[in-house]
Amino acid sequence: MNLKKYFVIVSIFLALIGSIYIYIQYNLARHSVYYASQMPRKEGTRPELVMAVENKNLIDKPNDDYVYFDEEVDHTIYIDDNAYFTSDFEGYYLRIGKQRRLYFYHTDSTGKFMTYYSPDDNWKEQPMDKEILQEIEEVISPVTEDIIKVQKTPSINLQKLFNQKYESIFN
């Protein structure tokens, strides 16, 4: 076989493999909230919010004033006027302003809320209790539902691949 023909065949094969890989990565990111809403997970984890924060530029976003994404600020979901969910070096956190005080509720890498603190309390971290988790749930549940509701079903469903990639994190 001519070396030139061999080079052309290998180039076409590599371009095809590269295109398939790029499409798969795009599909997983674009439909990550949909896939996350369908996957098994441990109680208390928030894969939908984590995927929405991580892939905010690719997912479908709700068109309302309650939940919005600032296109200039990466990795943040704004909730109403006094709360937002975002990422930091240790995981994710929810910031809520209530009664002229700020509260920061930290999660682990799965979006499960673990500790909280307030600057008014000298930044002293405290563990979560059921009452605080219920307050957080009241803020987070409508946001999660709004985000999930606007996601489209993927034309090529890669749920099994998504589960393989993320199940060890969220389950």
Side-chain angles (χ1 to χ4, degrees), residues 63-79:
N63 191 14
D64 59 34
D65 293 334
Y66 184 69
V67 179
Y68 58 96
F69 296 77
D70 185 342
E71 296 302 321
E72 302 202 9
V73 179
D74 282 339
H75 306 298
T76 303
I77 301 170
Y78 292 93
I79 307 161

Side-chain angles (χ1 to χ4, degrees), residues 33 37 46 48-50 52-53 59-69 76-86 94-96 113 135-151:
V33 173
S37 71
R46 306 263 189 246
E48 298 90 356
L49 287 177
V50 169
V53 166
I59 66 169
D60 294 320
K61 298 168 190 74
N63 191 14
D64 59 34
D65 293 334
Y66 184 69
V67 179
Y68 58 96
F69 296 77
T76 303
I77 301 170
Y78 292 93
I79 307 161
D80 208 1
D81 288 332
N82 49 339
Y84 62 81
F85 185 79
T86 191
L94 175 68
R95 178 200 151 286
I96 299 177
F113 289 96
E135 286 179 32
I136 291 170
E137 191 64 32
E138 289 172 9
V139 172
I140 294 294
S141 286
V143 172
T144 305
E145 289 171 14
D146 285 354
I147 293 171
I148 291 171
K149 197 181 318 178
V150 298
Q151 302 308 307

